[in-house]
């Protein structure tokens, strides 16, 4: 009976997924995720990645290049073998940008896969960009870089020495040289943990055993990631929410200048899906977008936020013209009702002394936006439905 | 805002452009591992393109309203110049091309490419002076404001601006944000690096290497709140030391005594035009703001006073009879800070260079199995 219920539920989910904004991905059960042939049979789904435009960075050339950024479509598939999960992301990129070691103003292409550390409850999921307090995310980043000679395998410089001016000689120096030779030519793969903006911290103790790679095929990249279903940071089972980001070096993309998907649900084949999570991530926002737009205007949202890409540029609050693409309805609702739950930092505080969109109180960012909890539920639903329509067209 | 602010004053009248400071810094900090092109200290000829090329036109800093301005990140080849090497090995090894001594690339630009060119027509009215530049350790740093990762910080103890290399991931918004372009990208480790005001030396009571090695003895170092220090007297008491391009709103903490003397111009006959000066005041105004008029007036008045009366505290300060008098570094203060924070006074006061905050197992560095630092955070 239980089995039957699960399959009915799964069927229902599939039916609603067909109409939904985001696809439902099924990670097929395979014998070994490291077997390259598994991708031949894997079913790829289209996930749309939206330009992240909440805040404007201060790179003049990059801002010019990304002014008219469009959403990208990526093909995503997943498999698991009970111990590890593997993802394959394919996206179009006409120019192959590999960061060399003799440049200061060029950037590499790259991709990242983000996992929520706590995945049982769909609401609230961590904030899509960088997690949020009490809702950490794990981010796997792979950049296309030339092999880098790194005298310190830990990717920091504390141990570097100057051979001409060192107090270390003889055997110790020879040992150092041997170590350098062994550690040189490392690949740019990083794993981070984050609990909100500006907390992104690299996990350097090798406690995450993952492996990412990027391969350029004519017209675009194939990015792959393999990581354990369970480690001290995440415990993935049933339905796994993931988010995918890609960077384009030609557009000087890095950090916030990227294309980002919303949370996407991946069901692990052979495990019981989390129906609430699937429903949250695959169904459209309820509410009347047209009425929501009216409510947004009458409540003055556009006084501080840039709602359409064409709105005046010097916005005070974070720009929302792509928020509908990468934000979940639950997050948008939370931001209306509790604006300080997640505060997107702009430039450092002292850059916006006159018009801060947040203040720092007891070390926490407190939004200067008033909470709109006085609005009735229907109006909030309508505004959320409207905000979900705000997103760039796909290329 | 830090509790105290360490500051440096450079007397441009005394700078001879010998680059000893540059070399002192380069051999100490930046001659390796992706830092080859970096000059945390450089001396450029002004007027000139500077290093990186046209740094004053690359944006950054703040506007009058206090908003950070967009900037341009210089290109290593075109704007800094590839740090070329020479064919030493083939020359020493007697190989085929050893008859010629040449760079291993064809250089197109580099630091001091336009050294001593200056401006004006030779010989009538050509002019230039030397402008040594380090990170200004600003009170309101553009680099810090631009960093989306909070990887740049100003030390509480002395206002030194540092990059937390554990947090830095090489996004380079700091470079766009710094109007002086005094923060550099290390392409080998994909992180930003900058002048650290020799804080490990300062904590031991030693001045920064650039200041100690300066043969012209142009540099004074001390705390701005120390009324006995030369920097306090030059900046606040006599107001003759001025910040470079203060109009960018970053409130720099490296100050300059503007050059006051320059030769007179020649007329068409080749005769000296009495009362003329080759150095246009507009150039100095551009660098040091309108306060430069007052500073020059004070300097000239004190020079005159010295001539007439033999007494001038300002002139005594600028002559700098004792090298040691130029640096008031208050080593006791650093020892006190270390004691208050229960740190080893011999270890660098700041440990933010080390250890990942969220790395649960603790991130430990061991240097040749000896010194260990870092740990659980």
């Amino acid at each position: 009976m239980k089995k039957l219920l699960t399959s009915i539920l799964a069927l229902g989910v599939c039916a609603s997924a067909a109409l939904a904004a985001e696809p439902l991905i099924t990670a097929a059960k395979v014998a070994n995720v490291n077997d390259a042939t598994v991708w031949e049979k894997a079913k790829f789904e289209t996930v749309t990645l939206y330009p992240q435009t909440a805040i404007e960075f201060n790179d003049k050339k990059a801002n010019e290049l990304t002014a008219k950024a469009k959403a990208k479509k990526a093909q995503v598939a997943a498999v698991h073998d009970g111990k590890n999960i593997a993802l394959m992301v394919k996206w179009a990129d006409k120019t192959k940008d590999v960061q060399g070691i003799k440049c200061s103003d060029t950037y590499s292409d790259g991709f990242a896969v983000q996992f929520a550390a706590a995945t049982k409850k769909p609401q609230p999921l961590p904030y899509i960009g960088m997690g949020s307090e009490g809702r950490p995310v794990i981010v796997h980043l792979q950049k296309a870089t030339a092999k880098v000679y790194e005298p310190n395998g830990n990717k920091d410089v504390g141990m570097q020495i100057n051979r001409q001016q060192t107090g270390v000689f003889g055997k110790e120096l020879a040992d150092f040289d041997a170590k350098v030779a062994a550690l040189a030519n490392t690949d740019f793969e990083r794993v981070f943990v984050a609990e909100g903006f500006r907390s992104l911290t690299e996990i350097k103790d090798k406690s995450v055993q993952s492996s990412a790679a990027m391969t350029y095929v004519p017209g675009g990249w194939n990015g792959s990631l393999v990581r354990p279903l369970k480690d001290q940071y995440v415990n993935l089972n049933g339905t796994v929410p993931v988010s995918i980001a890609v960077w384009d070096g030609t557009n000087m993309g890095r950090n916030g200048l990227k294309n980002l998907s919303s949370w996407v649900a991946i069901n692990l084949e052979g495990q019981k899906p989390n129906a609430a999570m699937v429903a949250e991530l695959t169904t459209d926002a309820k509410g009347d977008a047209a009425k929501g737009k009216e409510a947004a205007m009458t409540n003055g949202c556009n006084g501080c936020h840039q709602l359409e890409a064409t709105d005046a540029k010097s916005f005070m609050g974070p720009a929302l013209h792509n928020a509908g693409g990468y934000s979940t309805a639950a997050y948008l609702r939370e931001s209306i009702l509790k604006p300080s739950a997640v505060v997107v930092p702009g430039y450092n505080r002292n850059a916006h002394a006159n018009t801060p969109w947040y203040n720092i109180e007891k070390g926490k960012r407190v939004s200067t936006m008033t909470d709109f909890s006085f609005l009735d539920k229907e109006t909030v639903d309508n505004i959320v439905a409207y905000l979900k329509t705000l997103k760039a067209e796909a290329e | 805002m830090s509790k105290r602010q360490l500051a440096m004053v450079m007397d441009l009248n005394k700078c001879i452009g010998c680059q000893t400071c540059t070399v002192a810094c380069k051999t100490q900090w930046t001659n390796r591992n992706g830092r080859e092109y970096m000059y945390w200290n450089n001396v450029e000829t002004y007027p000139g393109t500077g290093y990186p090329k046209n740094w004053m036109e690359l944006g950054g800093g703040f506007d009058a309203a206090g908003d950070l301005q967009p900037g341009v990140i210089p290109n290593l080849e075109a704007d800094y110049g590839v740090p070329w090497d020479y064919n030493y090995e083939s020359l020493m090894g007697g190989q085929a091309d050893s008859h010629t001594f040449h760079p291993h690339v064809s250089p197109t630009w580099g630091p001091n490419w336009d050294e001593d060119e200056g401006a004006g027509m030779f010989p009538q009215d050509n002019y230039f002076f030397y402008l040594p530049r380090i990170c200004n350790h600003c009170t309101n740093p553009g680099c810090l404001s631009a960093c989306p990762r909070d990887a740049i910080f100003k030390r509480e103890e002395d206002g030194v601006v540092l990059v937390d290399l554990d947090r830095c991931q090489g996004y380079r918004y700091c470079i766009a944000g710094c109007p002086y372009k005094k923060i550099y990208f290390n392409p080998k480790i994909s992180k930003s690096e900058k002048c650290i005001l020799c804080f490990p030396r300062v904590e031991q009571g030693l001045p920064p290497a650039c200041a100690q090695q300066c043969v012209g003895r142009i540099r004074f170092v001390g705390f701005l709140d120390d009324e006995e220090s030369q920097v306090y007297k030059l900046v606040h008491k006599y107001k003759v030391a001025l910040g470079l391009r203060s109009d960018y709103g970053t409130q720099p903490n490296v100050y300059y005594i503007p050059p006051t003397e320059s030769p007179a111009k020649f007329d068409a006959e080749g005769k000296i035009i009495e009362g003329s000066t080759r150095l246009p005041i507009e150039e100095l105004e551009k660098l040091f703001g309108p306060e430069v008029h007052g500073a020059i007036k004070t300097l000239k008045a004190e020079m005159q006073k010295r001539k007439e009366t033999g007494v001038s505290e300002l002139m005594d300060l600028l002559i700098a009879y004792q090298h040691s008098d130029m640096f008031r570094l208050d080593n006791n203060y650093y020892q006190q800070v270390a004691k208050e924070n229960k740190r080893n006074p011999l270890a660098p006061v700041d440990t933010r260079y080390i250890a990942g905050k969220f790395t649960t197992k603790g991130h430990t560095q061991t240097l040749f199995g000896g010194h260990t630092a870092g740990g659980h955070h």
Side-chain angles (χ1 to χ4, degrees):
Chain A
M1 187 62 186
K2 195 181 167 193
K3 204 173 176 184
L4 183 67
L5 262 180
T6 313
S7 35
I8 290 169
L9 197 62
L11 273 175
V13 162
C14 288
S16 65
L19 301 164
E22 297 298 336
L24 174 66
I25 295 170
T26 302
K29 181 92 191 275
V30 296
N32 179 5
V33 293
N34 291 309
D35 176 0
T37 59
V38 297
W39 301 113
E40 289 163 14
K41 291 175 216 156
K43 187 167 181 285
F44 283 82
E45 299 283 351
T46 304
V47 173
T48 314
L49 315 178
Y50 296 91
Q52 206 180 16
T53 45
I55 64 167
E56 192 181 41
F57 286 96
N58 69 329
D59 183 332
K60 198 176 171 191
K61 284 187 191 165
N63 288 346
E64 284 163 15
L65 287 166
T66 51
K68 289 169 195 151
K70 286 196 167 174
K72 273 179 186 286
K73 286 192 184 293
Q75 301 298 314
V76 182
V79 293
H80 79 103
D81 60 11
K83 279 187 180 165
N84 295 296
I85 183 168
L87 271 91
M88 175 69 80
V89 182
K90 299 179 177 183
W91 72 99
D93 187 337
K94 285 176 195 149
T95 49
K96 181 183 177 184
D97 300 292
V98 177
Q99 192 182 300
I101 55 162
K102 286 193 171 172
C103 51
S104 53
D105 64 344
T106 59
Y107 299 86
S108 63
D109 294 329
F111 85 108
V113 180
Q114 176 174 276
F115 294 86
T119 58
K120 285 197 176 146
K121 286 186 188 167
Q123 289 188 26
L125 276 169
Y127 172 60
I128 191 70
M130 203 48 74
S132 35
E133 213 181 315
R135 295 177 251 168
V137 292
I138 306 299
V139 181
H140 295 262
L141 168 69
Q142 177 70 46
K143 288 206 306 199
T145 53
K147 292 287 184 187
V148 178
Y149 168 83
E150 226 178 43
N152 174 348
N154 288 329
K155 300 162 188 102
D156 52 30
V157 296
M159 213 181 88
Q160 294 188 7
I161 62 165
N162 177 350
R163 294 184 60 85
Q164 281 80 44
Q165 297 173 336
T166 175
V168 183
F169 299 100
K171 189 178 178 303
E172 282 183 325
L173 193 57
D175 287 349
F176 178 78
D177 286 345
K179 200 168 177 181
V180 167
L183 293 172
N185 297 329
T186 57
D187 160 35
F188 199 106
E189 184 186 339
R190 304 276 192 269
V191 189
F192 299 93
V193 56
E195 230 179 307
F197 278 100
R198 298 193 168 171
S199 70
L200 187 73
T201 300
E202 192 181 342
I203 298 170
K204 288 185 179 179
D205 60 6
K206 299 183 173 66
S207 54
V208 177
Q209 296 293 322
S210 62
S211 165
M214 279 171 77
T215 318
Y216 195 75
V217 288
W221 286 97
N222 292 346
S224 64
L225 169 75
V226 179
R227 68 153 290 139
L229 283 168
K230 189 181 175 183
D231 62 18
Q232 60 177 297
Y233 294 95
V234 297
N235 184 4
L236 308 175
N237 51 47
T239 303
V240 178
V242 300
S243 148
I244 290 143
V246 301
W247 284 265
D248 184 355
T250 304
N251 284 340
M252 305 184 94
R254 78 277 200 192
N255 168 254
L257 296 171
K258 63 174 178 282
N259 278 53
L260 175 70
S261 79
S262 185
W263 285 113
V264 177
I266 299 180
N267 278 343
L268 301 178
E269 192 184 44
Q271 295 190 11
K272 187 189 169 193
N274 180 338
M277 178 80 74
V278 172
E280 173 67 30
L281 299 183
T282 57
T283 49
D284 277 330
K286 55 191 173 199
D288 184 326
K291 283 184 184 167
K293 183 173 184 179
E294 209 182 311
M297 298 308 156
T298 51
N299 283 288
C301 302
N302 56 337
C304 297
H305 295 284
Q306 192 185 25
L307 296 175
E308 313 273 340
T310 49
D311 287 355
K313 208 133 192 245
S314 52
F315 45 93
M316 179 185 164
L320 301 181
H321 60 271
N322 276 304
Y326 47 71
S327 302
T328 62
Y331 168 71
L332 293 169
R333 188 174 294 110
E334 180 189 67
S335 299
I336 294 168
L337 303 177
K338 293 185 210 160
S340 293
V342 175
V343 180
V344 178
Y347 296 135
N348 188 277
R349 272 283 292 115
N350 56 13
H352 279 274
N354 304 318
T355 53
W357 71 54
Y358 60 91
N359 291 305
I360 294 174
E361 291 172 20
K362 291 178 187 166
K364 279 189 181 175
R365 285 185 287 272
V366 177
S367 176
T368 50
M369 172 175 152
T370 184
D371 77 71
F372 282 80
S373 52
F374 59 84
L375 293 176
D376 61 81
K377 193 176 169 299
E378 194 191 337
T379 308
V380 174
D381 284 347
N382 291 345
I383 295 176
V384 170
Y386 164 61
L387 293 178
K388 280 294 283 178
T389 65
L390 299 181
K391 50 193 174 188
E393 280 176 32
E395 277 179 344
Chain B
M1 196 68 176
S2 51
K3 273 187 259 172
R4 301 188 76 187
Q5 181 64 55
L6 202 58
M8 188 183 284
V9 172
M10 304 192 203
D11 184 352
L12 296 184
N13 291 293
K14 290 157 79 180
C15 181
I16 57 168
C18 66
Q19 308 285 353
T20 307
C21 49
T22 313
V23 175
C25 180
K26 191 122 205 70
T27 52
Q28 180 134 3
W29 300 113
T30 61
N31 63 352
R32 62 197 187 278
N33 300 339
R35 301 176 189 144
E36 291 84 354
Y37 82 98
M38 294 184 200
Y39 287 87
W40 292 357
N41 177 103
N42 75 304
V43 184
E44 50 200 51
T45 299
Y46 191 89
T49 35
Y51 188 82
K53 195 190 265 180
N54 299 319
W55 61 269
M56 277 203 274
E57 287 148 38
L58 300 181
F62 302 89
D63 66 7
D67 281 356
L68 189 62
Q69 294 304 292
V72 175
I73 295 152
N75 175 273
L76 197 144
E77 204 167 322
D79 301 321
Y80 295 108
V82 171
W84 67 90
D85 212 336
Y86 291 92
N87 57 333
Y88 297 116
E89 282 176 14
S90 60
L91 197 65
M92 304 299 258
Q95 279 137 29
D97 69 343
S98 65
H99 306 297
T100 56
F101 185 56
H102 54 79
H104 74 303
V105 292
S106 291
T108 53
W109 185 254
N112 294 0
W113 195 262
D114 56 355
E115 190 169 65
D116 292 0
E117 280 181 16
M121 290 294 288
F122 182 83
Q124 302 96 300
D125 63 352
N126 66 305
Y127 66 95
F128 66 80
F129 59 90
Y130 298 109
L131 184 65
R133 300 203 301 122
I134 65 169
C135 163
N136 287 291
H137 297 277
C138 305
T139 300
N140 179 30
C143 59
L144 186 153
S145 286
C147 178
R149 274 182 67 82
D150 279 354
I152 300 182
F153 63 104
K154 224 174 141 56
R155 297 209 309 176
E156 276 293 301
E157 297 90 334
D158 52 14
V160 171
V161 176
L162 296 177
V163 179
D164 180 339
L165 291 171
D166 187 67
R167 291 202 56 73
C168 178
Q169 289 291 331
Y171 302 147
R172 289 161 266 181
Y173 297 109
C174 53
I175 304 171
C178 173
Y180 305 99
K181 298 292 170 267
K182 268 294 170 195
I183 188 156
Y184 297 87
F185 175 62
N186 184 328
K188 281 196 185 167
I189 58 169
S190 201
K191 289 171 192 293
S192 288
E193 296 191 293
K194 64 182 286 300
C195 159
I196 58 173
L197 206 58
C198 284
F199 78 86
R201 290 172 58 94
V202 170
E203 284 170 16
Q204 303 304 316
L206 292 167
C210 56
Q212 177 137 39
Q213 294 291 80
C214 176
V215 294
R217 292 172 32 170
I218 77 158
R219 302 192 187 213
F220 302 85
V221 187
F223 286 93
L224 272 182
D225 61 350
D226 174 4
E227 296 192 8
E228 293 302 307
S229 73
Q230 308 83 345
V231 298
Y232 174 86
K233 288 177 183 169
L234 295 168
V235 174
H236 292 309
K237 187 174 173 188
Y238 292 101
K239 298 184 175 19
V240 292
L242 306 166
L244 180 65
R245 295 304 306 263
S246 305
D247 50 320
Y248 284 118
T250 59
Q251 301 167 44
N253 287 306
V254 170
Y255 300 85
Y256 296 86
I257 312 277
T260 52
E261 305 303 310
S262 75
K265 292 179 192 176
F266 295 140
D267 64 14
E269 311 276 294
K271 287 180 188 159
I272 286 170
I273 306 171
E274 289 296 337
S276 66
T277 176
R278 293 188 184 198
L279 196 56
I281 190 74
E282 298 78 35
E283 291 282 12
L284 297 180
E285 246 185 12
K286 188 182 171 195
L287 292 178
F288 307 113
E291 295 83 10
V292 77
H293 295 280
I296 290 174
K297 206 174 154 192
T298 306
L299 287 162
K300 296 220 164 174
E302 288 286 325
M303 260 187 270
Q304 193 61 31
K305 187 177 151 199
R306 179 54 160 265
K307 271 184 196 162
E308 289 163 5
T309 66
V311 182
S312 167
E313 188 197 25
L314 179 58
M315 287 302 118
D316 284 345
L317 275 174
L318 293 175
I319 291 166
Y321 298 99
Q322 295 291 327
H323 197 203
S324 55
D325 288 348
M326 302 177 76
F327 316 118
R328 273 177 65 90
L329 293 162
D330 205 351
N331 187 34
N332 290 339
Y333 169 65
Y334 284 101
Q335 288 186 344
Q336 190 62 35
V337 169
K339 203 174 159 189
E340 278 167 19
N341 295 298
K342 298 194 174 84
R343 292 175 185 145
N344 174 4
L346 288 173
V349 168
D350 213 287
T351 49
R352 284 186 64 171
Y353 269 118
I354 311 157
K357 205 163 134 193
F358 286 90
T359 304
T360 51
K361 276 191 198 166
H363 153 234
T364 308
Q365 288 186 323
T366 309
L367 187 62
F368 312 124
H371 170 68
T372 303
H376 192 97
H377 284 249

